[in-house]
Amino acid sequence: MQNLYRDVIVWDGESKGARRCDVRTEGAEIVAVEPAGTFRYGSAYEGRGKTALLPGFVNAHGHAAMTLLRGLGEELPLMEWLEQRIWPVENRLNGDRVYTGTQLAVMEMLSTGTTCFADMYFFMDRVAEAALACGMRAGLCRGIVGGADGAEKLAENLKLAKDYNGAQGLVSVQLGPHAPYTVPFELMKDIADAAKENDLAVQLHWLETTRDWPLSESSKSMTPEEFLEKTGIYGVKQLLLAHCVWIEKERLPFYAQPNITVAHNPKSNWKLGSGTAPVVDMQRAGVKVALGTDGASSNNRLDMWDELRFAALAQKGANMDPTLLSAEEALRMATVNGALALGFEKTGLIKEGYTADFMLIDLDQPQYVGWDFENLPGYLVYAGSSADVRTTVVAGETLYHMGAFTKMDAEKIMAEAASVRKYLTA
């Protein structure tokens, strides 16, 4: 199936400036990006030079079904929030409830221009089923913690990879050790070995708060960096480290490796009082950075527009330098950087041969008066918002358009989610 988007304003992470184009897709792929006016005939989405076509956002860290837990334990530090409010409620989840919570999250993400999401949770086979049913791209892992059933959870994650890795070209599967304070050294070593044996990447919460490393049983005998090296996690295919708020700045060159990406979650970090990740220092050290929202119970939004604006502003304010973390850099973090970290090597750019994952943005609005081909990224990041998203396309298929979902029964999903939420909090 072919689709044509005529006379749209294209920008992506490789652009030196926006440009006016005709974009043609065939199946799941972008097959042509040509100057506007190239394709004069045939039915098309008519941008008329007033619609931006951008890569879809990649939410590089989150826990999708936590939409069901939104608002629980507000104004609490991370460990109190987890131990007192989140973990007890999560014990009441099952596969069907996680499926519903994931659908709810996908609705929120699609309506705000996100086309791919990372997820670390449980009942992940149902998460994969929900993503595929909705047509969403996803990088999935089973959250693994230590204890008597640690090996069983690793086996469950490996089965997830066997069953769903590469499914419909939309799903990539990673292994998901939760954090150094919940995964002991030997289990982390087993996870690293399994990742290498099965050619899998890894998602891992890393140094999110000042308490993370002291709570680890390995903290008395080695540094965090030695832990990554000695367990073997440092050498896996791809390592996506979520948060990284408390990496010591002098240690940052250690993380500047081709296989390592930091998933920056600024609003969750601030809401939980965890601190501000040294993203500018990471960039200076050569560390790759992507962007995520974290779960809806700690953010509380799954809105990447909100996240990228805040990421840019927080670094400028924290370092008292308005030149830091440009709009272009924030957009690259929110698109192609996350796609590569999740193993989607042909996603996140608007170019021939890449997946047709993008959003259409209405520029014919008061807040965009004055935009041009050079300053468009700044307008998008600082003046734009998710309210400007008109259409979201994943793998060439329109999944959201003008408030409606093409593959999802929004009313039914919201009613089911409300019922599950009532049960969980009863």
Side-chain angles (χ1 to χ4, degrees):
M1 179 179 177
Q2 292 188 359
N3 290 299
L4 177 60
Y5 303 84
R6 185 184 286 127
D7 196 9
V8 291
I9 310 302
V10 170
W11 188 94
D12 66 17
E14 289 188 348
S15 299
K16 294 182 179 179
R19 58 202 191 277
R20 202 162 176 170
C21 297
D22 292 344
V23 177
R24 187 161 59 87
T25 70
E26 186 168 340
E29 187 176 297
I30 297 170
V31 296
V33 183
E34 300 291 347
T38 299
F39 303 113
R40 298 189 179 189
Y41 305 105
S43 61
Y45 179 99
E46 299 290 352
R48 298 182 174 85
K50 297 179 179 181
T51 300
L53 189 151
L54 275 77
F57 291 135
V58 178
N59 188 341
H61 179 66
H63 316 282
M66 291 184 87
T67 49
L68 299 170
L69 282 63
R70 197 188 319 251
L72 296 182
E74 301 285 31
E75 278 79 53
L76 289 175
L78 174 63
M79 295 311 298
E80 290 179 42
W81 172 75
L82 284 172
E83 293 170 356
Q84 297 175 17
R85 299 308 310 273
I86 298 303
W87 288 342
V89 177
E90 284 181 334
N91 287 334
R92 308 191 75 186
L93 288 170
N94 63 17
D96 290 342
R97 292 165 194 147
V98 166
Y99 183 94
T100 297
T102 302
Q103 287 186 307
L104 190 66
V106 169
M107 284 176 57
E108 185 174 351
M109 288 188 280
L110 285 175
S111 68
T112 55
T114 292
T115 55
C116 177
F117 70 101
D119 197 18
M120 176 193 288
Y121 216 47
F122 21 81
F123 302 106
M124 293 303 294
D125 56 331
R126 302 308 309 282
V127 174
E129 290 168 10
L132 291 170
C134 299
M136 188 69 150
R137 193 175 303 280
L140 309 177
C141 63
R142 202 277 187 220
I144 303 169
V145 298
D149 60 351
E152 181 181 329
K153 291 170 183 172
L154 172 56
E156 186 180 324
N157 202 155
L158 290 169
K159 186 177 187 304
L160 180 75
K162 180 181 178 181
D163 293 343
Y164 290 100
N165 199 22
Q168 298 181 29
L170 292 173
V171 177
S172 68
V173 176
Q174 298 82 39
L175 298 185
H178 174 260
Y181 59 88
T182 53
V183 180
F185 181 92
E186 289 301 326
L187 178 56
M188 191 71 80
K189 191 174 183 300
D190 290 343
I191 293 169
D193 291 343
K196 293 170 185 175
E197 290 169 8
N198 293 275
D199 195 32
L200 295 173
V202 169
Q203 296 185 38
L204 170 65
H205 292 89
W206 190 245
L207 305 183
E208 182 176 357
T209 74
T210 54
R211 295 181 63 189
D212 282 26
W213 185 243
L215 285 172
S216 168
E217 66 175 24
S218 299
S219 63
K220 297 179 178 61
S221 58
M222 64 188 81
T223 67
E225 290 72 29
E226 288 172 334
F227 178 83
L228 290 177
E229 281 191 311
K230 291 180 179 181
T231 57
I233 289 290
Y234 189 65
V236 299
K237 177 182 179 180
Q238 286 287 336
L239 177 58
L240 184 56
L241 296 173
H243 301 292
C244 299
V245 177
W246 292 100
I247 294 176
E248 295 178 5
K249 291 182 181 180
E250 59 270 23
R251 301 280 189 175
L252 286 173
F254 173 88
Y255 298 89
Q257 299 296 324
N259 65 319
I260 295 177
T261 301
V262 168
H264 179 40
N265 306 271
K267 298 204 79 174
S268 175
N269 294 153
W270 271 45
K271 186 170 184 288
L272 291 170
S274 302
T276 304
V279 171
V280 171
D281 294 299
M282 292 176 185
Q283 292 178 318
R284 288 170 176 163
V287 180
K288 296 193 296 295
V289 183
L291 196 63
T293 61
D294 209 349
S297 57
S298 68
N299 185 307
N300 293 12
R301 300 179 180 181
L302 302 181
D303 186 342
M304 289 286 286
W305 289 81
D306 204 31
E307 213 70 29
L308 69 90
R309 184 174 192 269
F310 188 73
L313 296 182
Q315 293 299 311
K316 297 175 195 299
N319 294 281
M320 294 184 289
D321 185 345
T323 69
L324 301 179
L325 194 55
S326 69
E328 291 87 351
E329 289 172 321
L331 284 164
R332 279 191 288 272
M333 287 164 54
T335 55
V336 65
N337 287 10
L340 290 171
L342 290 173
F344 296 108
E345 296 182 355
K346 292 290 187 177
T347 297
L349 298 173
I350 307 302
K351 61 191 298 186
E352 294 176 13
Y354 271 62
T355 58
D357 292 17
F358 50 78
M359 59 179 134
L360 297 171
I361 308 301
D362 181 9
L363 300 179
D364 193 20
Q365 300 188 77
Q367 67 269 30
Y368 289 109
V369 171
W371 77 268
D372 59 37
F373 295 112
E374 183 178 348
N375 68 22
L376 180 61
Y379 267 79
L380 292 167
V381 172
Y382 302 124
S385 75
S386 56
D388 307 330
V389 176
R390 295 296 175 263
T391 303
T392 305
V393 176
V394 180
E397 188 171 6
T398 297
L399 300 183
Y400 171 83
H401 179 65
M402 300 294 288
F405 300 91
T406 63
K407 298 186 71 170
M408 307 174 73
D409 185 335
E411 186 175 346
K412 179 182 177 183
I413 291 168
M414 291 176 66
E416 289 175 350
S419 176
V420 172
R421 165 71 181 219
K422 185 176 180 180
Y423 167 82
L424 292 174
T425 57

